[in-house]
Amino acid sequence: MRPTGSAITLAALLLVTACGGGPAPGGASPAPGQTGFVPPKIDALQSVGTGEGEVNLVAWAGYVEDGSTDPKVDWVTPFEQATGCQVNTKIAGTSDEMVTLMRTGEYDAVSASGDASLRLIAAGTVAPVNTSLIPNYTDVFDGLKTKPWNSVNGVAYGVPHGRGANLLMWRTDTVKPAPDSWSVVFDPASPYKGKVTAYDSPIYIADAAVYLMATKPDLGIKNPYALDDKQFQAAVDLLKQQKQVIGEYWSDYTKEIQAFKSGDSVVGTTWQVIVNVAKSEKAPVEAVLPKEGATGWSDTWMVAAKAAHPNCAYKWLDHIISPKANAQVAEYFGEAPANAKSCEETADARHCDTFHATDEAYFSKVHYWTTPIAQCLDGRAGVTCKDYSEWTRAWTEIKG
């Protein structure tokens, strides 16, 4: 989840309920096709014809802006004028809501987060995407193509929207020396007890798993979204231990900013855009991608298997990852764009540097949110991993 650069929205930030299973530091995650996951047989569109006159989208706030929120923020109107496809958007607040809306059959495309994408694929709600019909896909960063959260067995199920990492933020006047490890938020004897904060979502279990990958190699965790009974219990136990030093869990970015400004929180998880806003409001904070690596997100525009307006849907997918539109949405929302050429189109010439858009070494340490499923995403056979429903139950238990 993420907010906009100048008009950050809570709904956008809620994107953190996404998932991804990107490569671990050192490339530990499996390549696409190693999951053993077999989706329903659905054919991808073979050609794009004249638009049907409209397209119905389910999206995060800040992803489909038509000037109604801010007259200066509009990448929808040019699309409508160029294609004749009227855009109708339903804003969703959570991944669960997105899944539910897409199952109604009333929508043509969705900006799915990683904790929703595999659910949509497994249910046959979305279809494979024929990327040869999307000209701008060519310029998408290779680091985002055919990944575990947007493809199955090498078959693309959508186009990447953008990406970002979950960082460690701290108050520089309180937390010393400057931390470079997640240990500062997991230390049961933390001197910052009661002022540690963490993201409020079941997917945060993956953050604990990332830390355990580096500090408890004997557990054999290769993918933080593929946890067997023992690995999962270790992550849950770590989070229950962490609960003793947590001051508050956050999901509203404005509350996290306020907590760091007031000193109620001094260290915890964050996003780059939150760091930027906090600094602009004079909070003495810094952030880092810790040495163990981190979780992160990369959302995917997917097309409904029974889309009533497939031609307009494909035209939208091509538009939203076009250099200019992708630059606009990335800058407004606060993330790295998916299209490499977008870096030449941002209003802020430093945007791509700030969000590490071209830094694949940086993103090689990011484990993108991915839906945990029973079929282990790390390719193990004969082993059952904990699925997202079990992560949800455990999170309730962790928080008490």
Side-chain angles (χ1 to χ4, degrees):
M1 210 73 131
R2 302 76 6 6
T4 71
S6 59
I8 305 173
T9 64
L10 171 59
L13 284 169
L14 289 175
L15 194 56
V16 177
T17 51
C19 306
S29 291
Q34 294 180 328
T35 67
F37 174 50
V38 180
K41 174 62 176 176
I42 300 173
D43 294 328
L45 197 68
Q46 294 304 304
S47 63
V48 175
T50 302
E52 299 88 356
E54 65 177 334
V55 62
N56 299 321
L57 308 176
V58 175
W60 295 111
Y63 273 19
V64 186
E65 292 296 316
D66 61 3
S68 57
T69 301
D70 181 339
K72 298 177 182 178
V73 181
D74 183 0
W75 48 88
V76 170
T77 301
F79 168 77
E80 293 176 329
Q81 293 173 339
T83 65
C85 299
Q86 175 68 39
V87 176
N88 307 307
T89 308
K90 172 66 175 178
I91 300 300
T94 68
S95 285
D96 286 346
E97 184 181 358
M98 285 190 169
V99 170
T100 298
L101 288 169
M102 288 303 293
R103 286 177 177 170
T104 67
E106 298 175 9
Y107 300 93
D108 302 303
V110 58
S111 61
S113 294
D115 60 343
S117 54
L118 291 187
R119 283 188 278 168
L120 292 168
I121 294 171
T125 306
V126 296
V129 166
N130 186 343
T131 57
S132 68
L133 302 179
I134 303 173
N136 285 304
Y137 186 78
T138 300
D139 299 316
V140 169
F141 288 106
D142 288 340
L144 292 175
K145 293 180 177 178
T146 56
K147 296 300 178 180
W149 62 92
N150 61 26
S151 68
V152 177
N153 300 324
V155 177
Y157 274 79
V159 298
H161 176 93
R163 58 180 167 177
N166 296 318
L167 305 174
L168 173 65
M169 182 165 72
W170 71 94
R171 277 188 65 109
T172 57
D173 60 348
T174 306
V175 180
K176 299 179 180 181
D180 65 353
S181 167
W182 289 114
S183 62
V184 70
V185 301
F186 288 120
D187 180 3
S190 172
Y192 313 113
K193 181 177 181 179
K195 295 191 174 184
V196 176
T197 188
Y199 187 69
D200 189 1
S201 170
I203 209 63
Y204 184 66
I205 294 172
D207 291 62
V210 167
Y211 181 66
L212 291 172
M213 285 173 65
T215 60
K216 299 282 186 178
D218 54 303
L219 286 170
I221 299 174
K222 302 300 182 185
N223 181 320
Y225 306 98
L227 305 177
D228 60 30
D229 290 347
K230 181 179 179 180
Q231 296 165 340
F232 187 75
Q233 191 59 53
V236 169
D237 288 345
L238 178 60
L239 291 171
K240 286 182 176 179
Q241 174 182 284
Q242 183 197 44
K243 175 69 163 59
Q244 305 309 308
V245 301
I246 292 287
E248 66 177 353
Y249 294 98
W250 68 274
S251 58
D252 182 336
Y253 84 94
T254 61
K255 290 182 179 179
E256 187 186 31
I257 292 172
Q258 184 56 44
F260 271 86
K261 288 174 65 178
S262 68
D264 289 341
S265 292
V266 300
V267 66
T269 53
T270 194
W271 301 307
Q272 183 65 57
V273 67
I274 296 177
V275 178
N276 297 347
V277 174
K279 284 186 173 182
S280 74
E281 296 184 5
K282 309 305 180 184
V285 299
E286 290 293 342
V288 69
L289 181 68
K291 61 185 180 182
E292 298 91 357
T295 58
W297 74 86
S298 174
D299 293 340
T300 304
W301 278 100
M302 312 180 88
V303 177
K306 297 180 180 179
H309 313 101
N311 293 318
C312 280
Y314 264 71
K315 290 176 186 291
W316 172 259
L317 263 61
D318 190 49
H319 172 72
I320 198 60
I321 63 168
S322 64
K324 185 173 182 179
N326 200 234
Q328 289 176 294
V329 68
E331 202 160 16
Y332 180 72
F333 198 74
E335 62 188 343
N339 190 316
K341 292 183 177 179
S342 294
C343 291
E344 302 170 8
E345 300 286 344
T346 56
D348 179 358
R350 300 167 299 175
H351 180 84
C352 282
D353 290 336
T354 299
F355 289 88
H356 303 276
T358 64
D359 191 348
E360 294 300 340
Y362 176 90
F363 281 111
S364 72
K365 301 175 183 179
V366 176
H367 305 260
Y368 297 102
W369 292 315
T370 300
T371 313
I373 58 176
Q375 292 167 294
C376 297
L377 294 167
D378 58 7
R380 283 178 290 174
V383 178
T384 299
C385 283
K386 296 293 188 180
D387 64 20
Y388 195 68
S389 65
E390 293 180 275
W391 284 47
T392 301
R393 284 193 291 271
W395 184 244
T396 300
E397 180 183 331
I398 290 165
K399 292 182 63 182

